Amino acid sequence: MSSITKGALKAAKAALDARKYEEAERQARSVLESDSTHYNATVFLGLALEKQGKDDEAEQVYGNARDAKPKDHLALQGLINLYEKQATKKVVEYGTAALTLAKLYMEADDKYRCQSVIDKYVGFAKQHGTRLQYQKALELMLPSGDLYDYLEGRFPHPANTFTKIIEITEDEEERRINKLIGERRTRIGARIGQVTNEVKREVFKASVLETLYQDVIDWSQDDDLRRMYEERLLQRAYDVLAVSLPADKPAKRSQVQKLSEGMVILKHPFPLAWKVALEWQDLEEIAEFQLIHLREYIELFPEDGLTKIIQGYLDSDASPFGSPDKTNDFEPTADPEEPLSAEDRLVVMTEGLEQSSRAFLSQRVMGEYFLHLQEYSNAVECAEKALDLLQVERDISGLELQNSFDGVELILATALIHHQSPRNHPRAHKLFGQILQRKPKNSSALIGTGLILEEEEDYQGAFDFLSQAVVHSPDVKVRSEAAWCKALTGEYEDGLSELRKCLDELESSTSSDKSVKAEVHYRIGQCMWHLGTSKAERKDRNGAYAQFLASLQSNLNFAPAYTSLGIYYADYTKDKGRARKCFQKAFELSPSEIDAAERLARVFADQGDLDLVEVVSQRVIDSGKVRPPPGSKRKGFSWPFAALGVCQLNNQDYTHSVVSFQAALRISPGDYNSWIGLGEGYHNSGRYIAATKAFEQAQKLRDQIGQTENSWFPKYMLANVKRELGIFEEAVEGYEEVLSKRPNEYGIAIALLQTHAENAWACIQRGLFGRSKDSCVKAIDVASNLVRMESSTFNFWKTLGDVCAMFLWMELYIDAFPLQKVKAILEQDLEPDMYSSATDTDDIGPQTLCSLASHQPSHVPVYSALLAQKRAIFCSSNEIHGQAVAWFNLGWVEYRASVRLDAAARDKTKHLKAAVRCFKRAIELEAGNADFWGALGIVTTQLNPKVAQHAFVRSLHLNDRSAASWTNLGTLYLLQNDVQLANEAFTRGQSTDPDYAHAWLGQGVLALMMGEAGKAQSLFEQAFEISDAASLIPKKLYSLSSFDQVLAIDRPHQIAELLQPLFALHQLRSQTTGDVVFQHLSALISERIGDHIEPVSTLSTVCTSLEAEYEESESPDSLARFAQAKADLGRAQLAANDFENAIANAETALDLSADENSYLPARTKLRLSAHLTSGLAHSTTENMDTAISMFRTALEESDGSPDIICVLAQVLWAKGGEDERSVVREQLFDCIEKHPEHANSICLLAVIAILDEDAETLEAVALELHSLRTQENLDEEQKLKIGHLMSAVARLNGSPDIFESGKHSKEVEVSEAASTIMLSPFTTHGWRQLADASGAEAVIPGEMALLTVKGSVPPKGGLDAEALAEAYACTDIAANAQRAIMVSPWLSAGWTSLIGS
C-alpha cells in the first residue's frame, strides 16, 4: 500500500470522526480510484454515504465490500446499521444480513455476539416488521434453525417460540379467510355457505398450524399447555374434516377419531372428543352404547346439558341398562342423593335439552324418553331435530351412520303413529318401509307398520305384519294387537281365543302393564259384542258389559270402554243419564272417541246448546281423526265439520262456516245437509253465485234420492239468492213455486211480498215505471192474502208502506193504485190506537182510513203509506230497534207528504213538522244511527238551519264516509249563500263516493252561480249519467242545461245532443205529471229533433194546465207562460200541417201579448214567432194577403230582420204576380245593401236571377257567392246551399270572371267542384259534385265522397240515411249500390246506380 493510499485512508478516517462526510467520501473515492477492491476504503465510503442520507448508494457500496470479504463482519455490521436506520423498508434484508453475521460469529465461536445479533433482529422485526416478518424472525430460534444447536440454552424454550408463531399464524389465517370470503361472496351465483367452505378448504390446505400444534405438544413440558394444544389440534382437524372433499375425508377422519379416542381413554374433559366418540358410533339402539362411557361423560361434565339428559335417562324406567343401582360401577364419592321424582327428572332433562339443543345425542335420548312417556309431539320434534343434526355429522365425518339414522327414524315413525293420527300415517309408513327394505326383520318397524294398517282399517295387512313381529318379539302387547287385527277381519272367535290367552298371561304376570290389560279386556268385550248380536246377549251383564267394566277396573282412564258402556246404556238399558256421563267421560279422556263425541253432540243439539256442540266438534276436528290420510281405506267423518258449520252459522261467522262445510263435503260429497249449509254460508257472506251452485247441487241430490220431505227448502234458498242478485223475476217464480206446495208458510209469503217491493223499486231506479207499477200491484195482491195469515208483523206493514209510497215516484200510473185492496188490508184486525202515531201533528188517523176513498187519487197513495207505517210502529212496540226504524220510515213518508200535500194545505208545514217529530223520536230510540241524524237535518233545513247543521255534523261524526251527508251539508251551506263551505262539502262528498250523483249536482249549481255554464253543464251531465232513474233533480238540471247550451252555441245542433235530455224528460213526465215547465221543455226539444207529432199533444196539455192556472191566479207570470205555450203550440201545429189550429193559436198568442207594458223581456220573440207562424200558415192556405200582412208586421216589430225579409220574399214570389216579384227583388237588393254578409239573402237573389235568366244580376251575385263562401261564420247548411248554387251557375256558364270563356260546361263544373273541395275538403258536397261532373270514369271522387259521408253520419255527425245512400250510389259500384238500397230503399239513386253498374 502506497503512502498516498495510506494518507487518503487516514484523511477519510479523520473526516469521518470530524463528521465531514463529504470530505470522507472524496478521500475514500480517491483511494478506490487507484484500488477499486480496497475493503476499508469501500467501508469508509459506505459509511460516508450513509451519514449523508444516500442510503441506496451506501447499501450498494456495503454490498460490494461484503462481496469482497465475505468473512469480514465490518461490511455486514454497516449494512445492519443502515437497515436499522430505514426501519420498515428493509426488514427482510436486515434478516438476511443478521443471519449471515450471526453465522460468522458462530464460526468465530462468539456466542455472545451471535445471540446479540439474532435477539436484536427479532426485536427489530417485532417492532418494525409485519407479523409474517416477525414470524420469520422467530423461526430462527426454532430447533429447525441453523443456529439453534449452537445457541441452545441461550434461545427461549421452543414451546414458547412455537406458541408465538401459532398466534401469528392463526391471526393471519383468520384475516385471509375473512378477506377471501368478502371478495368471493359478491360473485354472481355465489352462496355464502359454499364460498366459506371453499375458502377454508383452500386456506387449511396451505396451513402449517397442525404441525405447529404438534410441535408445541412435542416440546412443551407443561401438561396443561400440552393438553390445551391437543384440544386445539383436535378442533383444527375436525374443522379441516368439515370442509374437506369426500375423497380427502377418510384420512382426516382417522386422525380425528384417533385424537378423540386418546382423550377419551385419558378421560380428558374436552367436549368435542367425547362428542366424536359418542355420536360417531353407528348404533341403532341406545342400549348398544357403552355404559362406562356414558358414566364417564357424566363424571367429567357434571353441569353439561347432555349430562342432565343422560343421567335422567339412566335413572328412569326407560333406561335399557336396568336399574341405576345395578348399572353403577363407580364407588360413591359422597353420600348418595335422593332420586328425583319423575316430574323433577323431566324438568331437569328439559333444562338439559335447552342447554345442549345442538347435540345430536341430546335430541335422540330425549326423543326416546318422550316416546316412553307417550309425549308424541315432543318426541316428533326431538327426532326431527336429531335427524337434522345427524345429517350434519354425516356431512362432516363422511360416515354413513345408517344404524343411527334407522334408530332415530324408528323413534320418529313410532311417534308419528300417535301424533295427530292419522294425519302423519303416510310419513310414518314411508319411514317404516325404508327401514324394512334394509332390515326386513326389524321388530319395531314391523309393529309400527302393523299399527298403521290397523288404523287405516287394513286389518289383514296389519295382521300379517304383526304376526311377523310376534315371531321376532313375542311381547304380549304385540300378540294382543295381532289377535285384535285378526278379530277385526271378521274372525272374532279366533281373535277372542288369542285375546283370552293374552289376558291369562297378563293376569299371571305381576309386572304387567295395566293399560295393556284394560285394552285386552275391552277387545274381548268387543269380540263378544259382535259375536252375540241379539238384544238379550248384548243386555247380558256377564257378557261384553262385564268385560267393559273389567277394562275400567284395570284402567279408569281407558276411553273406548266408556264409549262402549255409553252405547250399552243408551241402546239397551235406555238409561240416557248414564249414557251421557259415559260419552262425556270418554270424550274428556280422548277426543279420538268419535262415536262418543257424535252421540254427545246430538244430545247437546237436542237440548239447543250449540255452544257445547261447537266445542265438541272443534275438539274432534283438532284430534286429526276425522280426515283419512291419503291412500287410506278408512272413511272419514264429515259430521264434526257439518256440526261446526251449523254452529258458526248460528253465530253469524259465515266465512268460517263456509270453510267447515267445504271440509265436510270433501269427506262426504253426497251430504245433502252440508250442501244446504254451504249454500247458506255463501248466501249470508254475500257470495251469491257460489250459493246458487251449492243450492242447485243440493236440489240435484234431493231429486236423485227421490225424497219429497223438505225438498222445498233449497228452492226457497235459491229464490233468496236470486233476490239478493237482483234477479227478481226468478226469485218470484221460486217463492210462488214453494208457496204452491206450502201455502201456509208465512215467512216465504213475506219474502215474496218483499221481493215484489224490491223489484218495483229496482224498476223505478232503471226507469221501468210500467213494470214497477205491475210489481206494486202484485205486491198488494200478495199482501191481501198475507194479512189474513198474520197482521201483526213489522216487516209486513213496513213493506206495504214502501209499496204504497212507490206510486209517488210514478205519478203517470197513479190511477192504477188498488185503493179498495189497500183499504181492506189497512182495516184488517183493526184495533184502537193502531194509527194514532203523530196524529196530533199530521191529522192522519182512523178518520183518514174511513174517508180514504173520498180523497184525490193523487193523495191516496200518500195517506195509505202513512197509515201503513203507523201500523208498523204499532206492531214494533216491543222491539226498540224495530220501533226506531219504523219511526224513521214514517218520517220519510211524512216528508214526501209535505212535498206533495203541504203546498195545498192550510198549514204549509204540517207534514214537515210531523217528519221532524218522527226523526226525533227515532233518534231518541237509537241515537247512534247516522242516517237518522241525516234525515233530521234534511227536514229541518227550511225550518231551522242551525238545527239542520247540527244534525248533519252529528251524522258525519257518526259516519264521515257518507257522501249523502256531505252533500246535504253542502246544500244547506248553498241555501245559506256560503259558497266556500258548500264547495268544500260537495268536494268531500265527491271524494267519498264518486258515484254519488247529487254531489256532482251541487258542484254544477256552484259553477252555474259563478257564471261557468259550460262547466256546469258537464257536471250536470256527469250527475245524470251516474244517477238512477228515481232521482228527479239530475234530469231537470241536465235537460235545462243541455237546452240552454244548444241555444247558446252559434251553430246548428246535432240531434244526438238532444236525445239524452229528451229521454230524461220523458222519464220525468212519468214521475211528475203536473210539472208543466219540463213538459214544455220536452216539447221544445222534440220540436228541435224533428218530431212534429209529440210536441202538439204535449203543448196542448201544457196550455190546458197553464190556462187553468191563469184562470185561478190571474197573475202576469201565468199569462206570460200561457202566451208562450200558445205561440209554441201554433208553431208545432204548423210543422204538423195543422194550419187552421196553428193560425188560431198564433193569433191567440198575439192577443195575449198585445199589452206592451204587461210583461215579457221575450215578448218580441214571442210575437215574432206568432206572426211568422200565422203568416206561413196563411200562405199555405192561399190567404196571401193576410200572410203578407203578418210578415210585414213581423218585419216592423223585428226592425227589418233580414231573415224575415227572406221569408217575405219567398211568400211574395210564391204568389206569382209580376208586381210582387219586383217588390221581392227590390227588398232583397235593399237587404243585401244593409246586410252585405247575410248569406240567405244573397242565395235567394241568386236563385231568382237563375229563374229570371238575368245574366247581369247572376254575374254580380256569383261574385258575392264566391267571396261569401270563404267566410268562416257559415254553418254547414249554408255552405251546402252556396255549393249547390255555384254548381248551378257553373252549369249555366254565365260568369266570365269566375269561369273562363270558351270552356265546356263540364270542365267548368269540375273546376267549381275542385274549388269547393279546396275550401272544405272534409265536407261531402264538393266530392259528390266532382263525382257527378267527372262521370263514371272517375272513381276516386266517388270514393272520397263516400269516406267523408261515413265520417259525418251519427254519432260522428248529423247526416241522415239518405245522404249516406246517395254517397254509396255515386260510386257506381254494384256492391255500394246494394248498400245504398239497404240504407234507404225508398231512394231512387240506389236503384238507378244498381241498374247502371
Side-chain angles (χ1 to χ4, degrees):
M1 180 181 300
S2 64
S3 59
I4 297 175
T5 300
K6 290 182 179 180
L9 285 174
K10 290 181 180 179
K13 181 69 170 64
L16 288 173
D17 293 339
R19 298 182 179 182
K20 298 178 180 179
Y21 302 118
E22 294 179 356
E23 177 65 21
E25 177 185 357
R26 187 178 62 80
Q27 295 295 336
R29 288 188 183 279
S30 65
V31 174
L32 292 175
E33 287 177 356
S34 58
D35 186 2
S36 60
T37 60
H38 196 287
Y39 181 76
N40 290 333
T42 304
V43 172
F44 288 161
L45 177 59
L47 181 59
L49 291 172
E50 176 188 350
K51 295 301 184 179
Q52 295 179 64
K54 300 178 181 180
D55 296 337
D56 294 337
E57 295 182 20
E59 182 180 3
Q60 184 177 3
V61 171
Y62 280 136
N64 294 335
R66 178 195 59 197
D67 295 339
K69 286 188 177 182
K71 299 296 184 180
D72 192 282
H73 67 275
L74 190 60
L76 291 171
Q77 187 64 48
L79 278 173
I80 290 174
N81 293 335
L82 178 63
Y83 292 150
E84 284 182 355
K85 177 183 176 183
Q86 298 183 50
T88 58
K89 294 182 179 180
K90 299 293 183 178
V91 177
V92 177
E93 290 81 356
Y94 188 161
T96 304
L99 179 60
T100 304
L101 181 60
K103 288 181 179 180
L104 291 178
Y105 287 139
M106 180 180 66
E107 292 174 359
D109 195 20
D110 190 344
K111 292 185 177 181
Y112 176 78
R113 288 187 176 182
C114 180
Q115 179 186 358
S116 176
V117 169
I118 296 301
D119 289 345
K120 192 176 181 181
Y121 165 59
V122 171
F124 179 82
K126 181 178 182 181
Q127 181 179 1
H128 300 290
T130 63
R131 295 178 65 85
L132 290 177
Q133 292 170 343
Y134 179 52
Q135 178 182 339
K136 290 294 184 182
L138 290 174
E139 289 176 355
L140 297 176
M141 300 181 179
L142 294 177
S144 58
D146 296 336
L147 303 175
Y148 182 81
D149 293 337
Y150 179 68
L151 296 177
E152 185 176 7
R154 291 178 175 268
F155 281 161
H157 193 275
N160 296 333
T161 306
F162 278 123
T163 301
K164 294 178 181 179
I165 294 174
I166 287 172
E167 291 177 359
I168 296 171
T169 305
E170 287 177 342
D171 185 62
E172 288 300 322
E173 284 189 4
E174 182 178 358
R175 291 183 181 181
R176 187 183 176 199
I177 288 172
N178 293 335
K179 179 182 178 182
L180 291 177
I181 290 175
E183 293 174 352
R184 298 181 185 181
R185 68 181 298 179
T186 58
R187 295 175 181 176
I188 297 176
R191 291 178 294 179
I192 183 63
Q194 181 181 359
V195 169
T196 301
N197 289 339
E198 290 176 354
V199 169
K200 286 185 176 180
R201 190 183 307 122
E202 178 183 333
V203 174
F204 289 168
K205 189 174 183 179
S207 176
V208 294
L209 268 180
E210 292 187 43
T211 303
L212 293 174
Y213 290 152
Q214 189 62 52
D215 289 337
V216 173
I217 295 170
D218 294 341
W219 283 94
S220 177
Q221 297 176 355
D222 186 347
D223 291 341
D224 293 336
L225 183 64
R226 188 166 56 250
R227 292 287 178 261
M228 181 182 72
Y229 277 95
E230 285 176 352
E231 293 175 1
R232 296 174 74 172
L233 177 60
L234 174 58
Q235 184 67 55
R236 178 67 171 199
Y238 185 82
D239 293 341
V240 174
L241 176 63
V243 299
S244 297
L245 296 173
D248 301 331
K249 284 185 181 291
K252 184 58 67 174
R253 181 175 63 244
S254 299
Q255 178 188 359
V256 171
Q257 289 177 322
K258 181 178 180 181
L259 292 171
S260 300
E261 290 173 0
M263 291 185 180
V264 170
I265 292 172
L266 296 175
K267 299 182 181 180
H268 179 61
F270 183 49
L272 178 60
W274 287 90
K275 171 189 174 181
V276 171
L278 293 176
E279 294 186 354
W280 284 15
Q281 297 183 60
D282 191 15
L283 306 175
E284 182 177 335
E285 297 180 0
I286 296 178
E288 298 176 17
F289 281 95
Q290 295 184 24
L291 181 61
I292 184 73
H293 286 167
L294 298 178
R295 293 293 184 187
E296 288 173 350
Y297 187 89
I298 294 172
E299 180 183 2
L300 293 173
F301 306 99
E303 300 299 325
D304 188 65
L306 180 58
T307 295
K308 298 177 181 179
I309 294 173
I310 295 175
Q311 183 67 60
Y313 182 73
L314 294 177
D315 293 345
S316 69
D317 297 337
S319 174
F321 302 105
S323 63
D325 296 337
K326 295 180 180 180
T327 60
N328 192 355
D329 298 330
F330 297 91
E331 294 295 331
T333 58
D335 295 335
E337 298 180 358
E338 295 184 5
L340 297 174
S341 63
E343 292 79 7
D344 293 339
R345 184 186 305 117
L346 180 60
V347 171
V348 173
M349 294 176 72
T350 303
E351 292 177 356
L353 183 62
E354 292 177 357
Q355 290 178 325
S356 59
S357 59
R358 299 299 302 168
F360 155 69
L361 191 58
S362 297
Q363 299 290 352
R364 179 175 181 177
V365 173
M366 285 303 296
E368 185 81 26
Y369 187 64
F370 282 132
L371 187 63
H372 170 73
L373 297 178
Q374 298 183 359
E375 294 287 341
Y376 300 114
S377 61
N378 293 330
V380 169
E381 182 181 358
C382 290
E384 288 177 338
K385 291 181 179 179
L387 286 174
D388 294 338
L389 294 171
L390 187 58
Q391 183 61 46
V392 172
E393 292 302 321
R394 170 186 279 182
D395 296 338
I396 292 174
S397 67
L399 296 170
E400 286 298 323
L401 301 175
Q402 190 58 58
N403 290 329
S404 297
F405 271 102
D406 290 344
V408 179
E409 286 176 350
L410 283 172
I411 297 172
L412 176 60
T414 305
L416 287 174
I417 295 175
H418 307 282
H419 176 55
Q420 295 182 350
S421 173
R423 181 185 305 171
N424 295 313
H425 283 181
R427 184 182 175 192
H429 199 174
K430 180 179 179 181
L431 291 172
F432 285 134
Q434 292 172 350
I435 294 172
L436 289 174
Q437 287 180 355
R438 295 187 293 269
K439 302 172 182 177
K441 297 181 180 180
N442 188 287
S443 300
S444 299
L446 290 170
I447 295 171
T449 305
L451 293 176
I452 292 174
L453 293 176
E454 178 185 348
E455 187 70 23
E456 294 179 359
E457 299 183 2
D458 184 3
Y459 301 120
Q460 185 60 50
F463 176 73
D464 295 339
F465 277 96
L466 291 172
S467 299
Q468 297 179 48
V470 168
V471 174
H472 304 290
S473 177
D475 183 54
V476 65
K477 179 173 176 57
V478 181
R479 287 166 51 204
S480 67
E481 287 290 345
W484 177 237
C485 289
K486 189 172 186 179
L488 291 176
T489 59
E491 300 180 16
Y492 289 105
E493 293 184 357
D494 295 342
L496 179 61
S497 175
E498 292 295 330
L499 286 170
R500 281 176 172 166
K501 291 179 182 179
C502 293
L503 180 61
D504 293 340
E505 184 174 340
L506 287 170
E507 289 179 345
S508 62
S509 175
T510 57
S511 60
S512 61
D513 190 350
K514 290 186 177 181
S515 62
V516 177
K517 189 175 181 181
E519 190 176 64
V520 172
H521 272 297
Y522 165 75
R523 290 173 174 176
I524 291 174
Q526 283 293 324
C527 291
M528 296 174 68
W529 184 270
H530 286 89
L531 288 172
T533 57
S534 66
K535 187 174 182 179
E537 288 176 312
R538 289 190 172 180
K539 288 182 67 175
D540 185 7
R541 290 182 175 269
N542 295 321
Y545 173 79
Q547 294 297 325
F548 297 147
L549 286 180
S551 174
L552 293 177
Q553 289 173 356
S554 299
N555 183 7
L556 282 174
N557 295 325
F558 190 65
Y562 285 106
T563 302
S564 298
L565 282 176
I567 295 173
Y568 172 83
Y569 288 130
D571 296 346
Y572 294 97
T573 64
K574 307 300 180 183
D575 191 344
K576 294 183 179 180
R578 286 188 176 182
R580 175 178 172 177
K581 290 180 180 178
C582 289
F583 292 140
Q584 196 162 348
K585 183 65 175 179
F587 187 65
E588 288 176 359
L589 292 172
S590 174
S592 300
E593 289 300 309
I594 298 178
D595 291 337
E598 183 176 6
R599 289 179 177 256
L600 192 61
R602 292 184 183 276
V603 171
F604 292 144
D606 293 339
Q607 295 175 353
D609 196 344
L610 293 182
D611 290 339
L612 289 178
V613 175
E614 182 177 6
V615 171
V616 171
S617 303
Q618 188 62 59
R619 192 176 176 203
V620 172
I621 293 170
D622 294 340
S623 71
K625 292 286 186 178
V626 293
R627 288 193 181 97
S632 174
K633 297 180 180 179
R634 184 174 64 84
K635 294 182 180 179
F637 298 92
S638 63
W639 71 263
F641 291 105
L644 181 61
V646 171
C647 297
Q648 289 166 339
L649 278 179
N650 184 67
N651 295 332
Q652 299 182 0
D653 187 3
Y654 304 120
T655 303
H656 289 95
S657 71
V658 168
V659 176
S660 298
F661 285 120
Q662 285 176 337
L665 288 169
R666 290 191 189 99
I667 299 173
S668 300
D671 187 357
Y672 166 80
N673 292 319
S674 293
W675 281 108
I676 292 293
L678 179 62
E680 288 193 55
Y682 279 137
H683 173 259
N684 292 322
S685 58
R687 300 167 65 180
Y688 301 118
I689 302 300
T692 301
K693 295 179 180 179
F695 288 129
E696 288 175 349
Q697 181 64 25
Q699 185 64 38
K700 186 185 297 184
L701 288 173
R702 179 61 67 185
D703 295 339
Q704 291 175 356
I705 296 173
Q707 297 181 1
T708 58
E709 184 180 359
N710 294 332
S711 62
W712 61 273
F713 189 73
K715 295 180 181 178
Y716 166 68
M717 293 303 299
L718 265 176
N720 286 339
V721 174
K722 298 294 185 183
R723 173 184 167 189
E724 295 290 349
L725 289 172
I727 311 175
F728 298 109
E729 291 79 5
E730 295 184 16
V732 168
E733 292 176 2
Y735 289 134
E736 289 177 346
E737 183 180 357
V738 175
L739 282 174
S740 64
K741 299 177 182 179
R742 303 179 68 87
N744 296 324
E745 285 287 347
Y746 182 80
I748 300 174
I750 196 73
L752 176 60
L753 173 63
Q754 292 173 333
T755 304
H756 278 305
E758 292 171 5
N759 187 24
W761 182 248
C763 289
I764 289 175
Q765 290 180 317
R766 297 198 300 268
L768 305 175
F769 301 107
R771 291 188 182 181
S772 178
K773 178 263 298 182
D774 295 338
S775 294
C776 289
V777 172
K778 291 178 182 178
I780 292 174
D781 291 338
V782 173
S784 299
N785 298 324
L786 190 59
V787 73
R788 301 187 187 97
M789 299 169 57
E790 178 62 51
S791 63
S792 60
T793 57
F794 164 76
N795 285 335
F796 172 81
W797 294 106
K798 184 260 182 190
T799 306
L800 179 63
D802 292 342
V803 170
C804 294
M806 285 180 200
F807 280 91
L808 303 178
W809 271 270
M810 44 183 179
E811 294 181 3
L812 186 64
Y813 302 99
I814 207 163
D815 293 336
F817 184 76
L819 171 59
Q820 297 303 323
K821 291 183 179 180
V822 172
K823 183 178 180 182
I825 295 172
L826 293 171
E827 291 175 346
Q828 185 73 29
D829 299 332
L830 194 61
E831 294 182 12
D833 299 331
M834 270 189 175
Y835 302 110
S836 60
S837 300
T839 303
D840 54 343
T841 306
D842 62 3
D843 296 330
I844 304 297
Q847 73 282 358
T848 308
L849 177 60
C850 296
S851 61
L852 194 60
S854 62
H855 292 283
Q856 296 181 19
S858 60
H859 294 176
V860 171
V862 182
Y863 293 142
S864 301
L866 288 171
L867 292 171
Q869 297 297 352
K870 290 185 178 186
R871 185 79 173 262
I873 293 175
F874 180 80
C875 294
S876 62
S877 57
N878 296 326
E879 206 272 311
I880 294 178
H881 175 69
Q883 196 172 8
V885 173
W887 280 104
F888 175 74
N889 294 333
L890 178 60
W892 274 123
V893 180
E894 293 281 7
Y895 180 68
R896 293 291 299 177
S898 71
V899 175
R900 176 170 292 272
L901 304 178
D902 281 356
R906 294 180 180 178
D907 185 357
K908 303 296 184 181
T909 59
K910 176 176 64 174
H911 289 286
L912 192 61
K913 292 178 179 177
V916 172
R917 176 180 174 184
C918 292
F919 291 136
K920 286 184 176 180
R921 178 59 179 157
I923 292 172
E924 289 175 1
L925 295 171
E926 191 174 335
N929 193 308
D931 293 335
F932 294 176
W933 285 100
L936 179 62
I938 292 172
V939 298
T940 56
T941 298
Q942 297 178 358
L943 299 176
N944 192 333
K946 292 184 178 179
V947 173
Q949 183 185 24
H950 170 74
F952 288 138
V953 171
R954 182 64 179 172
S955 175
L956 289 170
H957 173 73
L958 295 172
N959 180 18
D960 63 349
R961 302 297 298 170
S962 173
S965 297
W966 283 110
T967 304
N968 291 332
L969 182 60
T971 305
L972 176 64
Y973 290 142
L974 188 62
L975 293 173
Q976 301 302 315
N977 295 321
D978 194 335
V979 177
Q980 182 179 357
L981 289 178
N983 180 55
E984 293 177 0
F986 288 138
T987 303
R988 186 66 182 272
Q990 285 176 308
S991 61
T992 301
D993 184 5
D995 291 332
Y996 187 67
H998 291 73
W1000 295 89
L1001 288 177
Q1003 291 285 16
V1005 172
L1006 288 175
L1008 207 58
M1009 294 173 64
M1010 298 300 169
E1012 300 176 357
K1015 180 180 178 182
Q1017 201 278 333
S1018 299
L1019 291 168
F1020 291 148
E1021 183 177 3
Q1022 169 71 7
F1024 172 73
E1025 289 176 352
I1026 64 177
S1027 66
D1028 55 51
S1031 184
L1032 303 181
I1033 188 67
K1035 300 185 186 71
K1036 293 182 177 180
L1037 293 177
Y1038 171 58
S1039 58
L1040 276 174
S1041 63
S1042 298
F1043 189 72
D1044 290 341
Q1045 187 181 34
V1046 170
L1047 295 178
I1049 59 177
D1050 188 17
R1051 62 172 175 81
H1053 62 273
Q1054 301 292 337
I1055 294 177
E1057 296 176 358
L1058 295 175
L1059 287 178
Q1060 201 167 5
L1062 183 61
F1063 292 152
L1065 290 170
H1066 283 176
Q1067 284 188 350
L1068 190 63
R1069 187 186 301 180
S1070 299
Q1071 294 178 270
T1072 57
T1073 57
D1075 196 337
V1076 295
V1077 173
F1078 288 95
Q1079 289 180 13
H1080 195 164
L1081 180 61
S1082 174
L1084 295 178
I1085 294 178
S1086 297
E1087 182 183 20
R1088 285 181 174 268
I1089 66 173
D1091 184 359
H1092 306 308
I1093 305 301
E1094 192 269 341
V1096 174
S1097 61
T1098 302
L1099 288 171
S1100 298
T1101 305
V1102 170
C1103 287
T1104 303
S1105 301
L1106 290 175
E1107 184 177 7
E1109 180 184 340
Y1110 175 67
E1111 290 176 353
E1112 182 178 351
S1113 63
E1114 296 184 355
S1115 65
D1117 291 339
S1118 299
L1119 179 61
R1121 290 197 298 270
F1122 181 42
Q1124 185 68 57
K1126 279 293 184 178
D1128 293 340
L1129 177 59
R1131 186 176 64 252
Q1133 289 170 336
L1134 174 65
N1137 296 327
D1138 187 0
F1139 304 117
E1140 298 295 334
N1141 289 325
I1143 293 171
N1145 285 305
E1147 291 177 351
T1148 302
L1150 291 172
D1151 293 339
L1152 293 173
S1153 60
D1155 186 2
E1156 297 182 359
N1157 300 321
S1158 58
Y1159 63 93
L1160 286 195
R1163 174 179 176 276
T1164 302
K1165 291 184 178 180
L1166 182 152
R1167 292 183 61 80
L1168 181 60
S1169 174
H1171 279 118
L1172 291 175
T1173 300
S1174 179
L1176 290 172
H1178 280 297
S1179 66
T1180 308
T1181 58
E1182 302 297 333
N1183 191 357
M1184 301 303 297
D1185 294 335
T1186 306
I1188 293 172
S1189 175
M1190 286 292 178
F1191 289 135
R1192 286 176 175 171
T1193 305
L1195 190 60
E1196 292 174 359
E1197 293 190 359
S1198 63
D1199 295 330
S1201 171
D1203 291 325
I1204 297 178
I1205 292 174
C1206 291
V1207 175
L1208 178 58
Q1210 294 177 46
V1211 173
L1212 290 174
W1213 188 272
K1215 187 175 181 181
E1218 188 60 34
D1219 295 336
E1220 287 81 2
R1221 293 184 178 183
S1222 298
V1223 172
V1224 168
R1225 296 185 188 97
E1226 293 175 2
Q1227 290 286 343
L1228 289 175
F1229 278 119
D1230 291 341
C1231 180
I1232 294 172
E1233 184 179 356
K1234 295 179 180 178
H1235 306 283
E1237 295 183 356
H1238 190 256
N1240 289 336
S1241 301
I1242 298 173
C1243 291
L1244 188 56
L1245 186 59
V1247 172
I1248 292 174
I1250 292 173
L1251 293 175
D1252 290 342
E1253 298 181 357
D1254 186 354
E1256 183 180 357
T1257 304
L1258 186 59
E1259 179 182 354
V1261 171
L1263 290 172
E1264 291 293 334
L1265 290 174
H1266 188 270
S1267 62
L1268 184 65
R1269 70 192 303 187
T1270 60
Q1271 295 181 6
E1272 296 181 356
N1273 59 349
L1274 297 180
D1275 57 39
E1276 294 299 324
E1277 184 178 357
Q1278 291 174 329
K1279 290 180 181 179
L1280 183 62
K1281 186 185 298 184
I1282 295 173
H1284 283 301
L1285 288 173
M1286 295 299 293
S1287 299
V1289 172
R1291 281 193 290 270
L1292 291 175
N1293 195 15
S1295 180
D1297 292 336
I1298 302 176
F1299 310 106
E1300 297 181 12
S1301 60
K1303 280 191 176 182
H1304 190 269
S1305 175
K1306 182 177 180 181
E1307 296 177 356
V1308 175
E1309 289 184 41
V1310 171
S1311 177
E1312 182 60 33
S1315 299
T1316 303
I1317 293 172
M1318 182 187 67
L1319 291 171
S1320 299
F1322 50 86
T1323 59
T1324 61
H1325 171 68
W1327 293 105
R1328 286 180 56 192
Q1329 181 183 349
L1330 182 60
D1332 293 339
S1334 301
E1337 65 275 5
V1339 179
I1340 294 179
E1343 293 179 351
M1344 288 302 300
L1346 180 59
L1347 287 175
T1348 54
V1349 168
K1350 286 182 177 179
S1352 300
V1353 296
K1356 298 179 181 179
L1359 288 183
D1360 55 12
E1362 292 184 358
L1364 180 59
E1366 289 177 355
Y1368 275 122
C1370 74
T1371 60
D1372 291 329
I1373 300 174
N1376 287 339
Q1378 292 174 344
R1379 293 186 178 94
I1381 294 171
M1382 182 192 69
V1383 173
S1384 297
W1386 62 86
L1387 197 66
S1388 62
W1391 298 100
T1392 304
S1393 177
L1394 182 61
I1395 294 171
S1397 60

